[in-house]
């Protein structure tokens, strides 16, 4: 469209457009001596230009002043949908009876772990309708009940598909509180972080992949070795399991604890302390006095139960690793060197296992040094299993491999403490602490499932997915939905979450 001057000086409008034959046509629509006439000509021109085309009426006034359209909603749609998908696949929604407050607390714990009061802010930033703080406080006593946690545990056990011969991993950790006085639950005790603050002891049971099955809280001064059997027995009773194979570190098992495990009829694979040089190791050194133990060599010592007592036969495997020996021998060299200097009066006498006191005389315990060097690089594993889960005879490779799966439960503890910030800093009452641990347990289950499906750490997944939001724009009477384009790797990760095919 263009305006031209006629011979008389009037303004005329010409429409220039391409016909369907490809030729250019010029149509003289008339002249306009005033603004109204010009607008009529422009309207006719628009009709000609839009001939045969549909119009999208957004309800915006023609000639309205320009400006950005308002965003009426913005949410972390991809992240929320993925976490909710995991929550539902694990059966946590059914186990919680459709409680949406609990779901939101679990998702908020994964998105940005913070206090219950601040959880509303996290949910609102994610674009979700957050429950009020009063509502959360009303629901916490329900989440603290053991019956509630047992339902979640049952959902996790069903997902793990545990059977009679299933391996379960057990370990404990501690969570400290910033308070000076104990209250019967929060009490000072042995702390892996070497803290003197009141604490609680957390016992975690997982499957062999580190997927959480059960969490329990104990008094902070309760011995770690006394937590394992109650947790395992409660889990087996709740899920009607006749037997499971417990895998635990040597530090978790005292002599009395092992006797109780055997008396309970449980199968086990346990790390074994080696206070003395085992007979099979000493015999090997006598047979090959000038040779180095081969890297990876396994010594096997069978331990028959005997006719009385009702216990099962046991097998102890002692494995030698060169790298383990190198690290241990370096530590022994450093300690012996300090002991020698202390005995010679060249440095203060401090706690050192190689210093022997006899009356007023301090000497270096060479006998203990020789034993420590002989045991360097050797680790013990004990089991009462007669066969592997597939029915084949038990092997050293299976026992040692199962024991080394304990790194998975250590990973779960690290996730709960760092990514999910499990330490209940803002809680004082036991019910609140128990409810908090229930939320963390469910969040850990969702996180481990996401990691298993995507191959990403939960931290990477949350950090990446939260950047891509879904927004709604109001354009007149219409609402337009838009979203950021996803990178290929995130799109693939989301596809693995929403489409449950093998990976």
């Amino acid at each position: 469209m263009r305006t031209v001057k006629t011979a008389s000086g009037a303004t005329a409008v010409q429409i220039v457009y391409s016909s369907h034959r490809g030729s250019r046509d010029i149509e003289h629509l008339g002249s306009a001596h005033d603004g109204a006439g010009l607008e009529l000509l422009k309207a006719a021109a628009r009709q000609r230009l839009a001939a045969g085309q549909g119009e999208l009426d957004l309800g915006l006034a023609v000639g309205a002043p320009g400006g950005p359209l308002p965003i009426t909603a913005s949410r972390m749609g991809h992240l929320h949908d993925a976490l909710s998908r995991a929550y539902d696949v694990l059966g946590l929604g059914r186990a919680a009876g459709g409680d949406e407050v609990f779901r939101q607390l679990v998702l908020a714990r994964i998105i940005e772990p913070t206090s219950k009061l601040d959880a509303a802010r996290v949910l609102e930033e994610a674009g979700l309708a957050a429950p009020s703080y009063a509502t959360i406080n009303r629901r916490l006593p329900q989440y603290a009940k053991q019956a509630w946690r047992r339902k979640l545990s049952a959902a996790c056990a069903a997902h793990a598909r545990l059977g009679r011969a299933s391996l379960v991993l057990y370990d404990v950790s501690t969570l400290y509180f910033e308070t000076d006085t104990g209250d019967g639950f929060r009490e000072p005790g042995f702390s892996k972080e070497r803290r003197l603050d009141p604490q609680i002891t957390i016992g975690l049971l997982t499957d062999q992949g580190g997927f959480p099955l059960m969490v329990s809280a104990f008094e902070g001064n309760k011995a770690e070795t006394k937590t394992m059997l109650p947790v395992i027995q409660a889990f087996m009773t709740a899920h009607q399991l006749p037997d499971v194979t417990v895998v635990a570190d040597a530090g978790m098992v005292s002599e009395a604890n092992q006797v109780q495990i055997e008396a309970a009829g449980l199968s086990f694979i346990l790390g074994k302390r080696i206070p003395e040089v085992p007979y099979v190791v000493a015999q090997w050194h006598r047979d090959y006095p000038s040779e180095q133990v081969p890297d990876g060599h396994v010594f096997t010592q069978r331990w028959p139960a005997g006719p009385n007592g009702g216990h099962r036969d046991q097998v102890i495997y002692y494995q030698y690793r060169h790298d383990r020996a190198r690290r241990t021998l370096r530590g022994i060299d450093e300690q012996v060197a300090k002991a020698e200097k202390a005995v010679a009066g060249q440095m203060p006498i401090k706690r050192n296992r190689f210093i022997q006191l006899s009356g007023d005389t301090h000497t270096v315990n060479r006998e203990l040094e020789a034993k420590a060097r002989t045991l360097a690089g050797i680790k013990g594993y004990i089991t009462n299993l007669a066969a592997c889960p597939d029915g084949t005879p038990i092997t050293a490779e299976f026992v040692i491999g199962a024991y080394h799966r304990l790194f998975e439960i250590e990973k779960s503890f690290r996730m709960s403490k760092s990514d999910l910030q499990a330490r209940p800093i803002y809680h004082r009452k036991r019910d609140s602490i128990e409810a908090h641990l229930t939320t963390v347990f469910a969040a850990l289950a969702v996180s481990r499932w996401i990691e298993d499906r995507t191959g990403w750490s939960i931290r990477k997944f949350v950090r990446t997915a939260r950047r891509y939001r879904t927004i709604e724009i109001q354009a007149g009477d219409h609402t337009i939905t838009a979203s950021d384009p996803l990178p290929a790797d995130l799109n693939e990760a989301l596809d693995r979450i929403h489409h449950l095919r093998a990976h």
Side-chain angles (χ1 to χ4, degrees):
M1 179 181 67
R2 65 189 181 191
T3 58
V4 298
K5 291 289 186 178
T6 64
S8 62
T11 301
V13 177
Q14 290 181 333
I15 300 298
V16 181
Y17 61 95
S18 298
S19 68
H20 64 281
R21 298 183 181 88
S23 62
R24 292 174 58 84
D25 297 330
I26 299 178
E27 182 175 350
H28 181 77
L29 295 180
S31 61
H33 294 281
D34 51 37
L38 182 58
E39 287 303 319
L40 290 174
L41 295 174
K42 288 182 177 180
R46 282 194 293 268
Q47 291 176 358
R48 293 280 185 162
L49 290 173
Q53 303 179 42
E55 293 187 5
L56 175 62
D57 182 11
L58 296 179
L60 300 176
V62 177
L69 298 174
I71 296 176
T72 56
S74 176
R75 59 190 293 267
M76 301 175 189
H78 299 294
L79 177 59
H80 171 265
D81 294 347
L83 297 181
S84 284
R85 171 68 167 164
Y87 185 90
D88 290 329
V89 167
L90 294 175
L92 299 179
R94 292 189 302 274
D99 190 314
E100 286 302 310
V101 175
F102 184 72
R103 177 195 292 264
Q104 289 172 315
L105 288 178
V106 171
L107 300 194
R109 173 67 38 184
I110 299 171
I111 295 171
E112 184 182 335
T114 183
S115 67
K116 300 295 183 295
L117 179 61
D118 202 32
R121 189 263 310 165
V122 174
L123 292 169
E124 288 170 357
E125 288 183 359
L128 306 174
S132 68
Y133 185 58
T135 299
I136 293 175
N137 282 334
R138 283 196 301 271
R139 299 297 299 159
L140 286 182
Q142 183 71 19
Y143 307 152
K145 293 180 179 179
Q146 290 301 315
W148 183 278
R149 195 179 291 170
R150 278 196 296 269
K151 292 179 182 178
L152 301 178
S153 178
C156 291
H159 173 75
R161 298 180 180 178
L162 295 184
R164 181 183 180 89
S166 296
L167 295 176
V168 294
L169 314 180
Y170 183 78
D171 203 356
V172 300
S173 189
T174 54
L175 300 174
Y176 72 92
F177 293 80
E178 295 174 353
T179 181
D180 297 328
T181 57
D183 56 12
F185 181 48
R186 301 177 298 169
E187 291 289 342
F190 174 74
S191 170
K192 294 184 177 181
E193 298 174 349
R194 299 182 179 180
R195 291 182 174 273
L196 301 177
D197 312 83
Q199 63 182 18
I200 60 174
T201 300
I202 304 298
L204 179 64
L205 192 69
T206 75
D207 72 357
Q208 61 180 329
F211 182 77
L213 300 173
M214 187 174 186
V215 66
S216 297
F218 299 92
E219 295 79 5
N221 55 4
K222 191 176 184 69
E224 294 180 352
T225 55
K226 294 183 178 181
T227 65
M228 181 168 68
L229 194 58
V231 169
I232 294 170
Q233 288 180 321
F235 181 80
M236 292 174 60
T237 300
H239 306 300
Q240 300 179 345
L241 295 172
D243 189 18
V244 292
T245 301
V246 184
V247 184
D249 185 63
M252 285 301 308
V253 187
S254 63
E255 292 293 335
N257 207 13
Q258 183 172 327
V259 170
Q260 291 177 340
I261 293 172
E262 291 183 82
L266 294 175
S267 302
F268 58 78
I269 295 174
L270 307 173
K272 180 174 176 59
R273 291 188 175 92
I274 312 177
E276 301 293 336
V277 178
Y279 171 80
V280 289
V281 176
Q283 183 63 45
W284 191 94
H285 283 291
R286 286 192 293 268
D287 294 341
Y288 308 97
S290 59
E291 294 187 21
Q292 172 78 23
V293 180
D295 185 31
H297 184 77
V298 176
F299 304 91
T300 303
Q301 180 173 324
R302 302 196 178 277
W303 200 271
N308 300 320
H311 300 317
R312 287 183 267 174
D313 293 346
Q314 298 177 7
V315 182
I316 307 173
Y317 298 104
Y318 299 99
Q319 185 190 50
Y320 173 82
R321 282 293 185 187
H322 177 72
D323 284 345
R324 187 189 298 137
R326 177 176 51 80
R327 293 191 299 269
T328 303
L329 289 171
R330 184 171 64 238
I332 293 173
D333 290 340
E334 292 175 356
Q335 286 184 299
V336 169
K338 290 179 180 178
E340 290 172 344
K341 290 182 179 180
V343 169
Q346 298 175 2
M347 62 182 299
I349 294 178
K350 296 182 179 180
R351 185 176 181 180
N352 188 311
R353 64 174 175 148
F354 294 111
I355 296 179
Q356 184 176 11
L357 177 62
S358 178
D360 295 332
T361 306
H362 292 86
T363 58
V364 178
N365 191 336
R366 299 299 180 183
E367 183 179 349
L368 180 59
E369 178 190 354
K371 183 175 73 173
R373 291 186 184 279
T374 302
L375 291 174
I378 295 177
K379 188 170 180 63
Y381 312 86
I382 184 169
T383 182
N384 63 352
L385 285 173
C388 298
D390 60 3
T392 59
I394 197 71
T395 63
E397 291 75 16
F398 173 78
V399 171
I400 295 172
Y403 181 85
H404 287 173
R405 300 295 299 177
L406 285 173
F407 82 91
E408 292 285 4
I409 195 170
E410 294 169 359
K411 178 182 177 182
S412 288
F413 266 128
R414 286 196 302 272
M415 285 177 60
S416 62
K417 285 189 169 184
S418 58
D419 297 330
L420 304 176
Q421 295 185 17
R423 189 165 73 90
I425 333 176
Y426 304 102
H427 299 276
R428 295 180 298 103
K429 297 181 180 179
R430 180 160 189 165
D431 276 359
S432 296
I433 295 170
E434 294 278 9
H436 171 79
L437 292 176
T438 303
T439 305
V440 172
F441 172 79
L444 179 60
V446 171
S447 299
R448 291 298 311 233
W449 189 88
I450 291 286
E451 290 195 341
D452 180 63
R453 293 299 304 173
T454 64
W456 291 15
S457 71
I458 190 63
R459 179 176 297 183
K460 175 184 176 182
F461 180 77
V462 171
R463 187 177 62 242
T464 304
R466 71 182 300 163
R467 298 202 304 263
Y468 298 92
R469 306 181 71 97
T470 302
I471 62 174
E472 293 181 356
I473 303 171
Q474 193 66 36
D477 298 330
H478 299 269
T479 300
I480 301 173
T481 301
S483 62
D484 297 316
L486 300 180
D489 57 347
L490 177 58
N491 201 41
E492 182 180 352
L494 293 173
D495 184 65
R496 287 173 175 263
I497 290 170
H498 293 291
H499 300 90
L500 299 181
R501 52 178 179 264
H503 65 288

